Amino acid sequence: MNPLIIRADANTQMGTGHVMRCIALAQAWQDKGGEVCFVSAFELPAIETRLINEGFNIIFLNVEPGSRSDAEQTAHHSHKLNGEWVVVDGYHFDGDYQKAIKDAGLKLLSIDDYGHASHYHANIVLNQNIYATEALYTNRESDTRLLLGSEYVLLRREFWRWRGWQREIPDVASKILVTLGGSDPNNVTLKIIQALNYISTITLDIVVVVGGSNPHQASLQNTANKSRHKIRLVHNVTNMPELMAWADIAISAGGSTCWELAFMGLPNLIVILADNQRFIAEKLSQMGIAVNLGWHTNLSIKEINRTLEAFVNQVGKRCCL
């Protein structure tokens, strides 16, 4: 079985979501007896440790992400490892990049969210999002296969054993999970904690997931220490399903974590942190699966608090999701 080559990046600005969802695909390949090599243009210790602990290999490139040199070096390493398939996940892997990988004689899977490339040369395009349609990919090769919709959601191995688990909805939601991605460069997590601090009717038990590339850990810890509630900051989490099972409510960004929360049946409020998260937040809200709080720049602490107060104290707000 040929090694699987995964080209994905993670850093403070773009977050860790692309790499984290690729881990699910890598685990499935690994379970079939294959080896996996991640290729990245950025070194991020927390992600590197996670990949190594999973048993994956890592190669770092000294290139401009998405450049011609990037494609050439990725193809070179793929051939050197005797790889047949390359997986790319990131908005900088455009049509030219895809064509370069294909022209190198490799098969290509592109994991995509909204049809960002001018043309799709990939053998397979996978869009796991609930809004995915063929209309996003009209500019593609005649033999490009589309895998569209939530039936193709990439869930990591740790979630699999929770299939069939049933959640109980308490009258009052006192256990809160806050998870805003691997980096959160704008420190929206701090705004959420401040909004939770305005809740005075009960004492909350709050777990805040702080990603390995989050630059605001000191300010978060300082605010947590002064809170009226019990707040625990957890880092480089590998037991996310257990945290989701523990919680009564989640506040998350609008990325791939939303599918994990939906799988675990956890009532969720979504804060949009980036443009590519808007469609997920809006569609899940329209379907009654989550509540869309909107763009983080448009949200005041008091506005967030009002919605959280209702969710904490009114079971009907949560049962309908």
Side-chain angles (χ1 to χ4, degrees):
M1 191 172 182
N2 298 85
L4 181 67
I5 312 302
I6 298 179
R7 176 69 185 89
D9 291 319
N11 65 17
T12 301
Q13 292 304 311
M14 72 176 64
T16 60
H18 297 290
V19 172
M20 291 304 294
R21 66 181 177 186
C22 282
I23 288 177
L25 185 61
Q27 289 172 335
W29 190 269
Q30 193 179 57
D31 287 345
K32 293 293 184 181
E35 294 186 357
V36 179
C37 182
F38 278 78
V39 180
S40 178
F42 302 100
E43 295 189 33
L44 196 61
I47 287 294
E48 184 177 356
T49 299
R50 176 67 186 266
L51 295 178
I52 291 172
N53 289 341
E54 291 281 352
F56 307 135
N57 298 313
I58 313 170
I59 294 174
F60 293 106
L61 304 179
N62 184 20
V63 295
E64 177 68 25
S67 65
R68 178 75 185 187
S69 179
D70 182 340
E72 290 173 350
Q73 290 193 36
T74 298
H76 168 76
H77 287 295
S78 299
H79 287 306
K80 189 175 180 179
L81 293 169
N82 198 33
E84 180 182 5
W85 277 92
V86 174
V87 178
V88 296
D89 190 341
Y91 307 131
H92 42 276
F93 302 125
D94 59 12
D96 291 340
Y97 189 100
Q98 294 178 32
K99 187 175 187 301
I101 295 294
K102 291 292 299 297
D103 287 347
L106 295 160
K107 296 178 181 178
L108 179 64
L109 165 63
S110 174
I111 300 177
D112 185 84
D113 288 318
Y114 60 90
H116 71 277
S118 58
H119 189 89
Y120 285 84
H121 297 271
N123 299 85
I124 302 173
V125 176
L126 189 160
N127 185 333
Q128 65 176 351
N129 296 297
I130 204 165
Y131 56 79
T133 65
E134 186 176 352
L136 291 172
Y137 307 103
T138 54
N139 295 322
R140 67 181 190 272
E141 295 295 293
S142 59
D143 61 347
T144 296
R145 183 182 177 190
L146 302 179
L147 304 179
L148 307 177
S150 57
E151 64 181 297
Y152 298 105
V153 163
L154 297 167
L155 284 175
R156 296 186 304 279
R157 186 186 288 133
E158 57 260 35
F159 286 92
W160 299 351
R161 70 183 182 88
W162 292 87
R163 291 172 179 163
W165 176 75
Q166 295 295 313
R167 174 176 299 280
E168 295 183 4
I169 306 295
D171 291 337
V172 176
S174 61
K175 295 179 288 187
I176 315 295
L177 177 65
V178 181
T179 173
L180 295 180
S183 58
D184 187 19
N186 296 303
N187 205 10
V188 182
T189 301
L190 180 62
K191 185 184 286 189
I192 298 299
I193 294 175
Q194 291 169 337
L196 287 165
N197 278 338
Y198 276 104
I199 296 176
S200 58
T201 52
I202 62 169
T203 298
L204 300 174
D205 191 355
I206 303 166
V207 170
V208 179
V209 177
V210 182
S213 57
N214 190 311
H216 308 290
Q217 298 187 32
S219 66
L220 292 174
Q221 188 63 65
N222 183 55
T223 304
N225 291 341
K226 298 176 180 178
S227 175
R228 70 171 73 229
H229 304 298
K230 178 184 177 182
I231 301 180
R232 292 172 287 157
L233 270 57
V234 294
H235 307 269
N236 303 322
V237 170
T238 58
N239 66 329
M240 188 62 84
E242 285 80 5
L243 290 177
M244 292 180 179
W246 164 86
D248 300 325
I249 293 174
I251 302 107
S252 83
S256 297
T257 300
C258 291
W259 309 124
E260 299 168 0
L261 293 165
F263 178 82
M264 295 297 295
L266 183 58
N268 184 28
L269 295 91
I270 301 174
V271 180
I272 302 173
L273 303 183
D275 185 62
N276 61 295
Q277 298 179 4
R278 180 170 60 87
F279 294 120
I280 294 176
E282 291 177 351
K283 189 66 175 179
L284 290 178
S285 180
Q286 290 170 9
M287 299 182 69
I289 297 172
V291 171
N292 178 17
L293 289 173
W295 282 91
H296 72 93
T297 53
N298 299 331
L299 288 170
S300 70
I301 292 172
K302 289 188 176 181
E303 286 173 328
I304 299 171
N305 170 258
R306 279 195 293 269
T307 304
L308 284 171
E309 286 267 16
F311 249 60
V312 165
N313 293 301
Q314 300 176 34
V315 66
K317 295 282 188 181
R318 289 171 275 124
C319 287
C320 67
L321 296 179

